Amino acid sequence: MKKVNRFYLGVISVILLSCSHQNKEGIRTTAQSVYEDVPYLQDFSVRYDLKDSIDLAKVYVDRNKVIQVLSSKGVLRTHDGEFLYPGVLMADKTYLPLTEKNVSGMTLFQDQFVYLEDKAVLSNAWAGNLYLKHDLPDANIITAGSHFDFMISDGETLQFLSKDKGPWEEPLGDDRVMDIRYSESKKIFWILGQHSISSFNTTNNSFKTTQIEQNPTSFALLGDQVIIGTGDGYLEIDPETGKTIGEVHNKLPVPAITCVEAIDGQLWFGSAQGAFKLREDGKFDYYYGKRWLPGNVVKHISKGQDGSVLILTDGGLGKIDFKKMTLFDKAQYYEQQVRDRHIRYGFNATLVDLDNGNVDSGRLSDSDNDGLWTSMYLAGEVFRYAVTKSDDALQNCRESMDAMEKLYTINGVPGFPSRSFDRSGYLDILHDPDRWHQSSDPEWDWKGTTSSDEAIGHIFAFGVMADLMDNDLKDRAIALIDTLMGHVVSNDLYMIDYDGKPTTWGKWNPEYVNARPKNVGDRKINSSNIIAMLQTAYHFTKKEKYKEKALDLMENYGYLENLMRPMKDIGVASDDADDWSKMLSESWNHSDDEMYFLGYWGLYNYALNDTLKTKFKAAIIDHWEAERPEKEGAWNIMTALTGTDEFDLDEAAWYLREHPMDLVTWDIKNSQRKDIEFIAPNFREQTIKEVLPPDERPVQRHNANMFRLDRVGNDGGEEYSAGDIWLFPYWMGRYLGIIGEPKS
């Protein structure tokens, strides 16, 4: 049985209020802005796939909310369909006599369907009384006017039909009719030809033709403006002279326009590579791929019901809905998304092997980063519990904590966290013996080679839990902090795997860390992370060995200097550096960004003294400054923990609002766009001047490059969990007090 996704989705609004931020002890720390969570407009798509290979021409919805599509095989209608559960287009047999007619054109009049067939213009509304005969048997273009007036054409001749007036006919000569529009205010039909724009005034039957120089593909009326779509952009023309008004607009996502439509004062465009809407700021909202549309070749766009927009493509119909919701509403939807299909033994997991995006067809997969993705989800649920005292959040914490604890007990290596685990027999561990191993319990296998990503994620989540929980989970978290850091300290700052050797990435020893050149990121990240981890361990266990080790590293091995090194100094290793350092510094490592910011929780909150805390704040803000172009919601929100007045709250809220509801890995392509400004290749792998909204780029986690433009090859094969991607930053923002409670 299908799952019904009900969510309340309202106008985009960021209201920044100056207020006092309080930490968990209730002590005034600084004045920070707060995002007021008022409703905004959230867009999402409901798709209706085309099962047969037929041509689609027009789509409309009537006053009864019935959607019909004109096709080469007659009139179709939508069947089923809701968010994430596509419906289909199928033959409409509602009016059986209509199926016997050769319907070649279709329009709306008074929000009722009107059809054009080879003998007449007709409708089933108004008791079927609309029936106007014509003598253009090949007519396929129809537009409604006022008072049951219609203009039709077969491409060569125009014919005006009316219930109250006599017919009128005019050949277009050497030109050919492409489309017809009607201006209600002027009582004029506008006719677009391949080389002309013509008008027919219904009050006096006057007809006028003006030659135009452009090669139009489509047109629309925006008030009294005539907007022409071409193969290289769009323009406004003066219908009296045929001359262009203003400039030609061709810096578009796709300049070759297939159709254009004015809906509620906004211009929508279709192309062979998706659809796009012109925004008030002159930029475009781009709808590409199956996240939004069943096909990318757009045939027709029309106004839907309840604020939706209907986009007809070669693969079917995409209905873009715009619903009012708050960030809290979005969080409620995502909470259910995670629990419904992304919990594997308590881990926050990815759904893989989807059949063309069907979220009921996938399987839960293990990951090298099960502990890391779960750490962020777990921390988010701890923040949620701290804010709401929700029993549901508390139970989610318990279940994920059970999984995290099992990572330590399943492998038999004291203090060593596994990457993941699964039931025996499910995986062929003989083909991956370096990572998968049999547990002493014959029912289970576990994955080794654990990395520093997992370690810092674990310590972050356990630290948050130890700080904010007031029950047995607090003690369990402190025990795991001590377990992991006890292992690391007793093994000379290495994580030691089952074979008695350090894992590839679990290395914080000065001999390894300081072997990297000063400008190589690993030297800075490993220093920052280990100090954060040791401080967290000391803060909660009060064991002096952790404090002593942290001070020793900072005072005698340069770790304070390492972690304070400005981000502008991080770059490519010199030619005389070792091969490992060269490999580590080929480009900016966005996974390092994730590790840094997760570590900042313990680096700043549990600093050993106020002098260090001041220094650490400066290091965090320096990193945030480098990250600002990415508009990464989680990192902007994490920076707020320092109490700084400036942390790009509006960009963090933008990230949360603009994130797509659909987290399926649909193919995404932006590199062909003409409306974005590309920049030269660089170390940070920033591809364009300004980052695209999350709902226009590939779905990805926080460790990915936010300037990535394309993703192809796994179209609809996986669904990511919102647990780490969205819920973690949202609930952290709620806990820090920079995202307010929802407002109606």
Side-chain angles (χ1 to χ4, degrees):
M1 182 176 179
K2 286 189 176 179
K3 303 167 185 65
V4 178
N5 298 290
R6 295 186 175 92
F7 44 89
Y8 302 93
L9 313 168
V11 290
I12 295 179
S13 175
V14 178
I15 303 176
L16 301 181
L17 301 178
S18 177
C19 68
S20 295
H21 169 66
Q22 294 183 334
N23 64 15
K24 61 183 181 300
E25 287 83 19
I27 301 172
R28 178 190 293 266
T29 57
T30 186
Q32 288 184 313
S33 297
V34 177
Y35 174 78
E36 186 172 353
D37 191 14
V38 296
Y40 67 97
L41 283 177
Q42 176 69 53
D43 52 354
F44 61 97
S45 175
V46 178
R47 300 192 344 253
Y48 299 90
D49 295 333
L50 180 64
K51 297 302 183 182
D52 300 320
S53 180
I54 58 177
D55 293 329
L56 304 179
K58 299 287 183 179
V59 60
Y60 295 102
V61 59
D62 72 357
R63 63 181 300 272
N64 302 312
K65 299 186 179 183
V66 175
I67 298 174
Q68 286 190 340
V69 172
L70 178 64
S71 79
S72 58
K73 291 190 176 180
V75 177
L76 311 178
R77 67 176 295 153
T78 57
H79 169 67
D80 216 347
E82 57 187 73
F83 177 56
L84 292 182
Y85 293 89
V88 296
L89 295 178
M90 59 186 299
D92 191 334
K93 301 177 182 178
T94 309
Y95 286 90
L96 193 59
L98 191 66
T99 64
E100 302 297 321
K101 294 184 178 294
N102 181 25
V103 179
S104 56
M106 182 177 172
T107 191
L108 285 180
F109 179 64
Q110 296 180 354
D111 290 330
Q112 301 281 11
F113 295 125
V114 176
Y115 309 101
L116 172 65
E117 50 104 36
D118 54 2
K119 297 182 180 65
V121 171
L122 70 148
S123 177
N124 294 315
W126 309 289
N129 288 326
L130 174 60
Y131 190 86
L132 299 174
K133 292 184 178 181
H134 66 79
D135 53 9
L136 296 179
D138 295 324
N140 59 3
I141 302 173
I142 179 172
T143 295
S146 303
H147 309 296
F148 293 92
D149 300 339
F150 301 91
M151 181 73 77
I152 67 171
S153 177
D154 59 2
E156 298 178 354
T157 301
L158 295 165
Q159 191 169 102
F160 173 71
L161 305 172
S162 174
K163 290 185 68 174
D164 302 324
K165 303 175 183 178
W168 170 93
E169 185 173 304
E170 180 76 18
L172 209 59
D174 295 334
D175 209 347
R176 184 165 186 84
V177 177
M178 302 181 68
D179 201 359
I180 305 173
R181 300 283 181 161
Y182 182 71
S183 171
E184 178 68 34
S185 63
K186 296 183 178 299
K187 308 302 182 188
I188 290 176
F189 282 99
W190 292 101
I191 300 96
L192 179 68
Q194 291 178 333
H195 308 291
S196 67
I197 183 82
S198 303
S199 63
F200 175 75
N201 191 317
T202 61
T203 60
N204 56 20
N205 282 17
S206 62
F207 182 74
K208 179 181 178 181
T209 298
T210 303
Q211 298 300 307
I212 58 176
E213 300 174 355
Q214 298 78 17
N215 293 313
T217 59
S218 54
F219 84 135
L221 302 180
L222 182 60
D224 293 331
Q225 296 175 293
V226 178
I227 307 298
I228 303 287
T230 74
D232 187 27
Y234 75 94
L235 50 100
E236 180 187 353
I237 68 165
D238 183 342
E240 298 296 326
T241 65
K243 302 299 182 182
T244 301
I245 301 174
E247 62 181 358
V248 177
H249 305 276
N250 54 18
K251 290 185 178 180
L252 315 178
V254 186
I257 295 171
T258 58
C259 60
V260 57
E261 188 63 51
I263 299 176
D264 294 331
Q266 295 180 311
L267 285 176
W268 285 78
F269 301 90
S271 75
Q273 298 185 80
F276 46 97
K277 179 187 70 174
L278 177 63
R279 303 197 317 237
E280 291 183 1
D281 61 3
K283 299 177 183 179
F284 294 91
D285 291 329
Y286 186 40
Y287 297 91
Y288 174 96
K290 292 181 181 177
R291 176 183 292 165
W292 302 107
L293 307 171
N296 282 318
V297 180
V298 178
K299 304 286 190 175
H300 185 227
I301 300 175
S302 67
K303 182 177 180 177
Q305 286 278 0
D306 302 322
S308 66
V309 174
L310 305 177
I311 302 178
L312 191 64
T313 74
D314 58 336
L317 172 65
K319 181 167 72 79
I320 311 299
D321 278 316
F322 298 87
K323 298 296 183 182
K324 290 184 178 181
M325 69 186 307
T326 62
L327 292 182
F328 178 75
D329 294 327
K330 196 169 186 176
Q332 295 301 99
Y333 165 74
Y334 278 144
E335 291 285 356
Q336 186 57 45
Q337 185 248 21
V338 176
R339 303 312 300 183
D340 181 42
R341 51 186 182 272
H342 289 282
I343 298 299
R344 187 184 75 90
Y345 305 130
F347 290 127
N348 175 45
T350 300
L351 200 64
V352 303
D353 294 345
L354 271 61
D355 179 13
N356 193 32
N358 181 348
V359 295
D360 291 332
S361 68
R363 65 175 178 85
L364 289 166
S365 175
D366 71 275
S367 163
D368 280 358
N369 296 113
D370 273 348
L372 177 59
W373 311 144
T374 305
S375 292
M376 285 186 273
Y377 170 62
L378 176 56
E381 291 301 290
V382 175
F383 289 134
R384 178 187 171 201
Y385 177 72
V387 171
T388 67
K389 298 303 178 184
S390 161
D391 290 338
D392 181 64
L394 179 60
Q395 181 59 27
N396 295 344
C397 291
R398 292 190 182 282
E399 293 180 14
S400 288
M401 192 59 169
D402 289 344
M404 297 293 283
E405 285 176 328
K406 191 167 182 174
L407 291 173
Y408 291 83
T409 60
I410 197 171
N411 58 49
V413 182
F416 178 73
S418 310
R419 282 189 183 271
S420 185
F421 57 77
D422 213 326
R423 295 189 183 277
S424 295
Y426 168 69
L427 296 164
D428 185 0
I429 64 175
L430 297 178
H431 287 84
D432 196 5
D434 292 334
R435 295 196 301 168
W436 279 101
H437 314 284
Q438 291 181 328
S439 170
S440 59
D441 183 342
E443 289 295 319
W444 295 96
D445 297 329
W446 62 277
K447 184 187 286 190
T449 70
T450 308
S451 74
S452 54
D453 304 57
E454 318 314 305
I456 191 63
H458 288 206
I459 295 299
F460 163 64
F462 300 153
V464 171
M465 180 173 282
D467 221 348
L468 306 185
M469 285 294 185
D470 55 2
N471 48 42
D472 61 296
L473 287 175
K474 179 183 184 75
D475 295 334
R476 292 165 65 182
I478 294 173
L480 286 181
I481 292 171
D482 194 25
T483 296
L484 174 55
M485 295 312 297
H487 172 93
V488 171
V489 170
S490 64
N491 285 292
D492 203 17
L493 302 184
Y494 291 106
M495 273 202 302
I496 304 300
D497 210 338
Y498 77 102
D499 57 3
K501 300 177 182 179
T503 65
T504 301
W505 302 108
K507 300 175 181 178
W508 301 275
N509 185 284
E511 182 177 345
Y512 171 82
V513 172
N514 289 334
R516 311 279 76 77
K518 291 183 178 181
N519 71 325
V520 172
D522 261 42
R523 183 165 178 153
K524 177 178 170 70
I525 181 62
N526 281 295
S527 298
S528 181
N529 274 185
I530 192 61
I531 298 303
M533 293 159 68
L534 289 167
Q535 287 185 160
T536 303
Y538 173 70
H539 181 83
F540 289 108
T541 69
K542 301 305 179 185
K543 292 184 178 180
E544 289 295 323
K545 64 179 179 179
Y546 298 127
K547 179 180 180 181
E548 292 170 359
K549 180 58 68 174
L551 292 173
D552 181 45
L553 292 174
M554 287 189 283
E555 294 171 358
N556 300 317
Y557 293 96
Y559 276 39
L560 180 58
E561 178 186 352
N562 289 344
L563 72 87
M564 291 298 297
R565 186 163 291 111
M567 280 295 175
K568 65 180 178 59
D569 294 344
I570 303 301
V572 179
S574 60
D575 292 340
D576 59 352
D578 62 284
D579 290 341
W580 189 254
S581 295
K582 290 179 181 178
M583 181 276 295
L584 290 172
S585 62
E586 290 175 348
S587 63
W588 191 264
N589 191 323
H590 297 276
S591 286
D592 282 0
D593 291 329
E594 185 172 64
M595 295 168 63
Y596 276 116
F597 277 96
L598 294 182
Y600 289 158
W601 182 270
L603 188 70
Y604 180 79
N605 283 333
Y606 314 132
L608 297 177
N609 55 59
D610 289 342
T611 300
L612 286 174
K613 194 165 193 173
T614 300
K615 290 180 178 291
F616 296 155
K617 177 178 179 178
I620 294 169
I621 293 176
D622 172 74
H623 188 184
W624 167 75
E625 287 281 2
E627 291 297 306
R628 293 182 77 178
E630 295 194 15
K631 301 183 181 180
E632 223 291 353
W635 308 156
N636 287 332
I637 291 171
M638 183 69 82
T639 301
L641 74 88
T642 66
T644 179
D645 292 342
E646 189 175 9
F647 52 92
D648 285 351
L649 175 60
D650 54 343
E651 306 295 12
W654 171 86
Y655 170 92
L656 295 171
R657 289 194 310 269
E658 292 291 326
H659 214 280
M661 304 291 291
D662 183 346
L663 299 185
V664 175
T665 58
W666 301 112
D667 282 358
I668 298 293
K669 188 177 179 184
N670 288 292
S671 56
Q672 82 285 359
R673 293 174 65 165
K674 306 301 181 186
D675 64 324
I676 53 181
E677 185 176 345
F678 290 84
I679 62 176
N682 53 81
F683 178 67
R684 289 190 62 87
E685 296 184 322
Q686 181 174 338
T687 55
I688 55 179
K689 185 176 181 180
E690 184 177 357
V691 71
L692 293 172
D695 63 354
E696 295 182 16
R697 62 192 187 217
V699 61
Q700 53 194 13
R701 293 187 169 92
H702 301 294
N703 66 337
N705 180 5
M706 299 301 152
F707 284 94
R708 182 181 181 183
L709 297 177
D710 301 341
R711 174 173 179 161
V712 295
N714 188 24
D715 200 16
E718 298 181 359
E719 185 191 49
Y720 282 19
S721 169
D724 52 297
I725 295 174
W726 200 94
L727 290 173
F728 158 56
Y730 170 75
W731 286 114
M732 179 167 56
R734 286 290 305 274
Y735 170 72
L736 293 175
I738 61 172
I739 297 177
E741 295 181 358
K743 306 291 185 182
S744 60

